[in-house]
Amino acid sequence: MDEFGWLMLLAAPFVLCASLGLMCRKAWHAGLFAGVGSAGLYAAQLYSMQLDMVRRGPPAPGAMLADPLRVAMEAFMVTFPIGLCIGLAFHFIARSIWTKKA
């Protein structure tokens, strides 16, 4: 059950933003809202986690410091297309349910 809980926690922003995107009638509105929303939530969370781990002293010779903003933007660029796809999938599923068949 522990793995299922982590999977639900990982999928929650995508599903939440895609569900809110169902209120939009146009497909690109729903996909864009879900993509930006879920990627923004992940980037904000990762940025806040990385901000607490920033090294305050000088780096070791040859080591590079990770910039929290850069790490958050990399997470945004990875999760944005996933959010777009999930938002569009939710939109098309809802659209097929809404369409009345004679």
Side-chain angles (χ1 to χ4, degrees):
M1 189 66 182
D2 190 30
E3 292 87 12
F4 182 70
W6 280 110
L7 285 176
M8 291 304 292
L9 187 64
L10 185 66
F14 292 122
V15 174
L16 175 72
C17 292
S19 302
L20 292 176
L22 287 177
M23 290 186 272
C24 304
R25 287 303 220 183
K26 294 184 179 179
W28 71 273
H29 284 154
L32 188 65
F33 182 76
V36 170
S38 55
L41 284 174
Y42 276 109
Q45 176 64 29
L46 193 61
Y47 179 74
S48 68
M49 286 172 44
Q50 290 286 322
L51 202 56
D52 292 338
M53 295 188 277
V54 172
R55 185 183 174 106
R56 304 291 183 224
M64 290 179 53
L65 291 178
D67 181 24
L69 186 59
R70 180 180 171 155
V71 173
M73 289 311 297
E74 287 173 358
F76 185 90
M77 297 310 285
V78 169
T79 54
F80 180 65
I82 299 169
L84 285 177
C85 293
I86 292 174
L88 285 175
F90 269 48
H91 175 77
F92 290 135
I93 291 169
R95 190 174 177 189
S96 70
I97 292 172
W98 288 334
T99 347
K100 296 181 181 177
K101 306 213 172 173

